[in-house]
Amino acid sequence: MANPTPKTTSQWNVIGFDGFDSLKYSEQAVPEFGDDQVLVRLYGASLNFRDLVIPRGQYPWDFKRDVVPGSDGAGIVLAVGKHVTRFQPGDKVVTMLNPKHVAGSVTSRISSFGLGASVDGTFRSVGAFDEHGLVAMPQGLTFAEAATLSCAGVTAWNALFGLPGKQLSAGQWVLTQGTGGVSIFAVQFAKAVGARVIATTSSSEKGKLLEKLGADHIINYCETPEWGSEVRKLTGGDGVDVVVEVAGPVSIKQSVASVRLDGLVVVVGSVGGGEAKEMPSLLDCWMNLFTTRGVWVGNRFQMEDMCRAIEGNLEKLRPVLDPKVFSLDQLKEAYEYLESGKHQGKIGIEIH
C-alpha cells in the first residue's frame, strides 16, 4: 500500500557557486508531477564526487541554478502520472543519474539530462521523476544501500561488462584503485564472476576492507609509487585484462604500465585531482596495443541487469556503506566527510 502524499518536502538547493555555503535547506511544497512522471517519497540517498563540484561551479556538464542536488536515491512510489505504465503506488524504486538513457549509446541530448545537475535530484524527501529514469529496487537492500547503485554501482558494472567483445570473464585480471564506491563495486562484481583482482590503496587500514571483499592482491601505492611494474610481476609479466581508472592524472601512467597487450583501460573519473608531468597519449594505445574507454555511468538496461545480479547474490554483492551515515539535514557534514577522503565505500544519507 502506498504512503499518503505529504504537502511539503524537505530539500536542499544549490543557490550559488560559493562551495558548500551555497547549499540551502528548506521546506517547500511537494512538486507537481507530469503525465509521464512518478512522485517518490525518498528514504535513502548517497553522495558522489560530482556533488562536491556542482556548488563550486566546477561541473563541466549541464546544470541549472537552484537545482536540487543528488543523483542517488531510493524510495517508495506515492503517485503516478496518467501515462505511466512501469510503476504503481507502493513500488520501491531507485533513481538513475541519466534519466533519459534507456539503452544503447549515450548521445549529446541524453547527456544533457543529469539528475542533481540539470534536473532536480534526490537530496529531498519527496521528488517527481521521469518514469524511464527509475528502476525497481532490488529486494533485500535498505534504501541507503539501494541508492548507491544510481552512479557508482552502474558505473562499475558498465566498466566491467559494457563493452561488447571485452566483457570481463572468469579467470581474467582486474585492477581497481582505492576504496571509493566505484572501486568497491568493481571488486565485488569481478569476484562474483570468478575474475582475479589486484587493488591499490593508500593504507593498511583500507586494505582490510579490500581483503574482506576478496581482492587477491593489495598494493599500497604510497609505499610502491611505481606500482605498474608490481602489477606485471603479480600477473606473470603479462599485466591485467582490465583497469578501472578512477583517480585520473595522478595514476593513469601506472595504469597504462599495468595493462596487458589487447587489454582495456576504463576511465571513469578523476577523483585523485592534480596534474601529472607525464601523461600517456593516444599513441600509447597503439604502442602498447590496448583499448581506452571512457564511461559515464550506464544506461537503464545495464542498471536493471546489475540490480538482478545483486538481488540474486546479496551475500557477495550487498553495497558497502561507510559506517558513518548522515541524515538529510546533515548534508553539509556529509559533503565535508566525502571531501576528507576518510570514507570507505559509499556515504549514505537516511531521509526520515
Side-chain angles (χ1 to χ4, degrees):
M1 181 179 293
N3 295 334
T5 301
K7 299 294 185 183
T8 61
T9 174
S10 302
Q11 68 181 46
W12 289 88
N13 293 84
V14 180
I15 60 172
F17 303 115
D18 298 318
F20 302 163
D21 288 337
S22 296
L23 295 169
K24 180 183 178 182
Y25 189 54
S26 66
E27 198 80 11
Q28 300 292 330
V30 166
E32 295 183 2
F33 58 99
D35 293 344
D36 300 307
Q37 289 187 307
V38 175
L39 192 68
V40 179
R41 172 60 167 95
L42 293 155
Y43 289 99
S46 180
L47 293 184
N48 295 293
F49 179 75
R50 77 193 279 267
D51 298 315
L52 305 184
V53 300
I54 288 173
R56 290 175 170 146
Q58 298 171 347
Y59 191 62
W61 296 286
D62 295 274
F63 61 87
K64 70 172 185 175
R65 285 191 171 274
D66 298 326
V67 70
V68 176
S71 61
D72 298 11
I76 298 176
V77 173
L78 294 174
V80 300
K82 64 182 180 181
H83 296 323
V84 171
T85 60
R86 299 184 59 242
F87 299 104
Q88 60 185 4
D91 287 347
K92 294 182 179 181
V93 294
V94 184
T95 58
M96 285 185 57
L97 190 151
N98 288 129
K100 300 294 186 182
H101 194 191
V102 175
S105 297
V106 69
T107 65
S108 57
R109 181 180 179 279
I110 287 172
S111 69
S112 69
F113 294 90
L115 209 62
S118 61
V119 179
D120 284 335
T122 60
F123 295 155
R124 51 181 166 169
S125 57
V126 181
F129 303 97
D130 187 324
E131 74 159 324
H132 296 295
L134 299 169
V135 301
M137 178 174 148
Q139 294 183 26
L141 298 184
T142 67
F143 289 107
E145 288 172 339
T148 68
L149 305 178
S150 304
C151 182
V154 73
T155 297
W157 184 270
N158 189 4
L160 297 180
F161 310 115
L163 184 61
K166 285 191 174 293
Q167 294 99 334
L168 183 69
S169 59
Q172 290 187 319
W173 286 98
V174 180
L175 175 79
T176 65
Q177 301 170 341
T179 52
V182 173
S183 298
I184 291 298
F185 274 117
V187 174
Q188 292 175 287
F189 293 152
K191 295 307 297 181
V193 299
R196 294 171 287 183
V197 175
I198 300 173
T200 67
T201 186
S202 61
S203 71
S204 57
E205 182 65 28
K206 291 184 176 181
K208 292 177 183 177
L209 173 59
L210 295 167
E211 287 179 9
K212 182 180 178 181
L213 293 173
D216 298 273
H217 301 283
I218 298 168
I219 301 173
N220 186 316
Y221 61 79
C222 295
E223 298 173 355
T224 311
E226 301 292 317
W227 44 265
S229 58
E230 181 64 19
V231 170
R232 293 231 169 230
K233 291 178 185 176
L234 293 171
T235 56
D238 292 331
V240 296
D241 298 276
V242 181
V243 177
V244 181
E245 170 61 60
V246 302
V250 297
S251 61
I252 286 180
K253 182 180 178 182
Q254 293 305 310
S255 291
V256 169
S258 302
V259 71
R260 67 177 301 150
L261 288 175
D262 201 29
L264 177 64
V265 177
V266 186
V267 182
V268 304
S270 185
V271 299
E275 296 182 3
K277 293 180 179 179
E278 298 179 52
M279 283 274 287
S281 70
L282 289 175
L283 197 60
D284 285 275
C285 296
W286 173 64
M287 293 290 291
N288 298 291
L289 197 64
F290 65 90
T291 300
T292 302
R293 178 182 180 232
V295 163
W296 294 347
V297 289
N299 61 50
R300 197 186 82 206
F301 283 11
Q302 290 171 326
M303 189 162 172
E304 288 171 335
D305 286 344
M306 175 194 66
C307 287
R308 283 190 291 269
I310 290 171
E311 189 173 287
N313 199 355
L314 277 177
E315 185 177 341
K316 290 184 177 179
L317 298 182
R318 182 176 294 279
V320 176
L321 285 177
D322 187 273
K324 195 175 180 68
V325 178
F326 297 83
S327 59
L328 183 62
D329 60 349
Q330 295 175 316
L331 189 69
K332 285 187 181 181
E333 291 94 323
Y335 273 53
E336 291 166 356
Y337 186 57
L338 175 60
E339 188 170 53
S340 75
K342 296 177 181 177
H343 62 289
Q344 296 186 46
K346 295 289 291 180
I347 296 173
I349 305 290
E350 294 180 342
I351 304 174
H352 303 293

